[in-house]
Amino acid sequence: MASSRSERPNIIVIYADDLGYGDLGCYGATSIKTPNVDRLASRGTRFVNAHSPSATCTPSRYALLTGDYAWRASGTQILPGDAPALIRPGQFTLPHMLKNAGYATAIIGKWHLGLGDGKVDWNGEIAPGPRDVGFDYAFFMPATLDRVPTVLIENRRVVNLDPADPIRVDYRAKVGDEPTGAEHPDQLKFCADPEHSNTIVNGISRIGYMTGGKAALWKDEELTDQLLGKAIDFVAARKDSPFFLYFAMNEPHVPRAPHPRFVGTSGMGPRGDAIVQFDRAVGALMEKLEELGIADNTLVILSSDNGPILFDGYEDQAVELAGDHKPSGPYQSGKYSIYEGGTRVPMIACWPGHVREGHVSQALVDHVDIVASFAALVGQGLPQDSAVDSFDMSMPLLGRSERGREYVVEDTKLMVTTGTKVASSGARILALRSGDWKFIRGSVEPHEFHGNAIGTLPQDQLYNLARDPGERENLADKRPDLTRKLAGWLDKIEQAGRSRP
Ligand code: NG6
Ligand code: CA
């Protein structure tokens, strides 16, 4: 159990999906209104140097939940919906650590870390999964909004599954008679690229093929209300003893199909409307905490798993309607990119009376630090060989210190698998950010993916982020000594197998 000197607030991590540094009012957005998130920021501390561990989902979530940088492990690229469980039972995790400290733990929302041992039977017990790596309760989507199977799982079973209508999933070849986007574009709410043109569910074509499970299919427009309802049920049921809720929301990941009451609210089409929906859901959850009388002993962290993207496979007018909105704020590119837009994300911490109020923190922090920081907060130790990249940033997280990390390693891995097609060799692209400087290791990976700058060049890159936040002027040739020094430092961090002392 936790030591008597430690504090044990309830903890909620709200993890948005593809929400950018510039997408919130409190980070400078003017065309999208996010009053609820802005209020959270004004009551707590807002970070301007926070990083997601990677520029895509699976590796960021892996690092968040384990405290290990994902690039140390193999198989930590964007996973298909039928991939095996990446985090193995017995592995040290954030929810395990909090369970040991007496917390009730839950994940509600996006999982995307694989399920089962290779061949998942969607009609039976689905394990290993979140329940086997530290979560007492799980209500989740297996992968992404755009990947089959488009069903929700509660603990180890698909919700509303009719045994007479079994689910089959295939990422290589069509299964069943359900129409696909490629064959029936006339049935679609919006057109999609070839990768997103497989089985149609709810008028939206997805990545991968599925058949069956009709009664279990989610309705995109209702998903957020459904997840919010589950989140509210969980906190209400657990309000009298410490709980940890990992609320992994979907906005504004593609396909963007917000509830009709949000359609048209942003003037920016479905992407903006999805951010408004996200903001309202955050507001509703915060209101519930007040109503339950637990707002003052609940630590809320809100952030995003990677940077933003406008076009990510569906013709939903995100590009056309963006106007002068800058989803990455002052930074270059976004999701998938090794430039700052890939991993510099909004992050807010709020815990009335504990987290400094109305503060903007410059501290350099990374979601990989959350495990060690929460462990320090609740009085738990870390096993020596676990959470190997997680630093105790509890003081900066509480807004009480500006002394963050000395560096972060930024990461992207551009291995996108669609059926048998793989884009790029899937090499890992790493960068080191320390102080004003950013070093990007040279790589022969493609420089572009679907029109987005990944940031790779065959040669090394060096940027001064203080003077050049947009990473436009490569100084590697002008500052060869510094470039070499940072390159050597990154090699060492990589080769050491761990970075926590
Ligand atoms: C990519 C998908 C993209 C998105 C992403 C995962 C293609 C061409 N694109 O493979 O639409 O689903 O994976 O996003 O297939 S993430 O936020 O979960 O990392
Ligand atoms: Ca994401």
Side-chain angles (χ1 to χ4, degrees):
M1 290 298 282
S3 78
S4 56
R5 275 181 303 131
S6 68
E7 306 179 82
R8 290 195 306 159
N10 305 312
I11 299 173
I12 301 180
V13 173
I14 301 174
Y15 218 39
D17 195 357
D18 301 1
L19 186 72
Y21 189 90
D23 276 328
L24 297 168
C26 53
Y27 280 85
T30 50
S31 28
I32 305 177
K33 308 281 181 239
T34 56
N36 296 288
V37 176
D38 300 351
R39 193 173 315 121
L40 194 70
S42 69
R43 288 183 180 171
T45 291
R46 182 169 71 80
F47 295 84
V48 294
N49 280 303
H51 282 267
S52 60
S54 182
T56 57
C57 170
T58 300
S60 281
R61 286 162 206 261
Y62 180 89
L64 168 75
L65 293 183
T66 63
D68 300 344
Y69 278 135
W71 45 262
R72 296 203 190 278
S74 60
T76 54
Q77 69 277 3
I78 298 171
L79 294 179
D82 59 352
L86 197 52
I87 303 178
R88 305 306 301 175
Q91 207 173 328
F92 174 86
T93 64
L94 170 63
H96 261 142
M97 182 279 292
L98 289 171
K99 247 168 95 88
N100 288 339
Y103 279 70
T105 58
I107 170 179
I108 293 172
K110 181 181 186 180
W111 176 240
H112 207 190
L113 286 164
L115 293 165
D117 282 319
K119 205 90 207 84
V120 197
D121 176 7
W122 301 99
N123 308 293
E125 286 260 309
I126 298 165
R131 281 288 300 273
D132 305 287
V133 299
F135 288 106
D136 297 319
Y137 178 70
F139 187 88
F140 63 100
M141 315 164 30
T144 55
L145 286 178
D146 54 0
R147 281 180 174 75
V148 300
T150 50
V151 293
L152 290 157
I153 298 173
E154 187 164 33
N155 296 321
R156 296 193 174 94
R157 293 250 170 206
V158 170
V159 178
N160 288 336
L161 179 66
D162 172 3
D165 182 25
I167 296 172
R168 266 189 309 139
V169 168
D170 203 305
Y171 271 78
R172 293 173 174 260
K174 184 173 171 179
V175 284
D177 305 323
E178 282 80 355
T180 66
E183 302 156 353
H184 287 284
D186 51 299
Q187 295 182 14
L188 298 176
K189 289 177 187 163
F190 24 66
C191 289
D193 65 12
E195 289 88 350
H196 293 81
S197 290
N198 304 151
T199 302
I200 301 175
V201 179
N202 188 33
I204 300 170
S205 50
R206 319 276 166 164
I207 305 173
Y209 302 93
M210 79 175 283
T211 182
K214 251 195 180 48
L217 300 175
W218 72 52
K219 270 229 139 351
D220 303 71
E221 293 80 356
E222 288 162 17
L223 252 185
T224 296
D225 287 338
Q226 216 174 336
L227 299 176
L228 174 65
K230 289 289 174 188
I232 286 176
D233 289 350
F234 175 76
V235 301
R238 301 293 179 159
K239 72 177 172 55
D240 297 323
S241 54
F243 64 75
F244 166 57
L245 170 61
Y246 170 40
F247 191 26
M249 296 182 67
N250 291 304
E251 289 88 356
H253 196 283
V254 296
R256 300 153 185 146
H259 189 273
R261 71 185 186 280
F262 297 110
V263 171
T265 52
S266 70
M268 284 178 47
R271 183 174 188 277
D273 297 347
I275 294 173
V276 173
Q277 172 169 274
F278 169 79
D279 179 72
R280 297 304 180 272
V282 170
L285 183 58
M286 295 306 110
E287 245 169 61
K288 195 68 195 180
L289 299 181
E290 295 282 353
E291 199 185 302
L292 293 168
I294 55 172
D296 287 353
N297 65 333
T298 303
L299 165 62
V300 178
I301 307 265
L302 181 149
S303 196
S304 175
D305 68 339
N306 52 252
I309 187 153
L310 296 178
F311 178 80
D312 206 9
Y314 294 91
E315 300 289 349
D316 63 3
Q317 291 208 288
V319 175
E320 295 81 347
L321 298 175
D324 52 16
H325 177 66
K326 293 198 167 53
S328 307
Y331 302 112
Q332 193 186 162
S333 197
K335 181 175 180 176
Y336 309 115
S337 179
I338 198 68
Y339 289 136
E340 287 296 283
T343 60
R344 183 90 68 111
V345 287
M347 181 163 134
I348 294 163
C350 181
W351 178 17
H354 297 266
V355 169
R356 196 167 151 197
E357 200 182 316
H359 180 55
V360 178
S361 173
Q362 303 288 334
L364 183 62
V365 289
D366 189 302
H367 302 151
V368 76
D369 301 324
I370 282 183
V371 183
S373 307
F374 287 179
L377 202 68
V378 304
Q380 287 287 307
L382 296 175
Q384 176 58 17
D385 60 351
S386 300
V388 298
D389 298 301
S390 191
F391 293 117
D392 172 8
M393 288 289 131
S394 51
M395 284 301 123
L397 267 188
L398 296 173
R400 297 193 209 153
S401 163
E402 296 291 291
R403 282 198 52 199
R405 293 174 145 259
E406 199 185 355
Y407 65 87
V408 289
V409 178
E410 298 180 28
D411 159 53
T412 193
K413 177 167 172 143
L414 198 66
M415 188 161 92
V416 174
T417 320
T418 322
T420 44
K421 257 179 49 198
V422 175
S424 98
S425 73
R428 212 97 216 186
I429 304 152
L430 297 181
L432 183 75
R433 191 191 152 200
S434 184
D436 292 346
W437 294 99
K438 165 122 168 232
F439 165 78
I440 303 175
R441 190 189 271 167
S443 163
V444 293
E445 288 296 288
H447 182 71
E448 249 194 32
F449 174 62
H450 283 234
N452 303 297
I454 302 308
T456 43
L457 288 178
Q459 66 273 24
D460 290 343
Q461 300 171 67
L462 178 75
Y463 297 99
N464 183 316
L465 294 179
R467 266 184 271 135
D468 177 25
E471 292 163 280
R472 303 283 170 190
E473 194 192 350
N474 182 6
L475 300 173
D477 289 341
K478 283 193 192 147
R479 301 288 303 269
D481 291 350
L482 182 57
T483 305
R484 220 170 301 122
K485 189 181 137 200
L486 293 174
W489 194 9
L490 179 57
D491 289 347
K492 249 180 80 186
I493 295 165
E494 195 180 11
Q495 283 151 18
R498 63 182 298 135
S499 55
R500 182 166 67 86

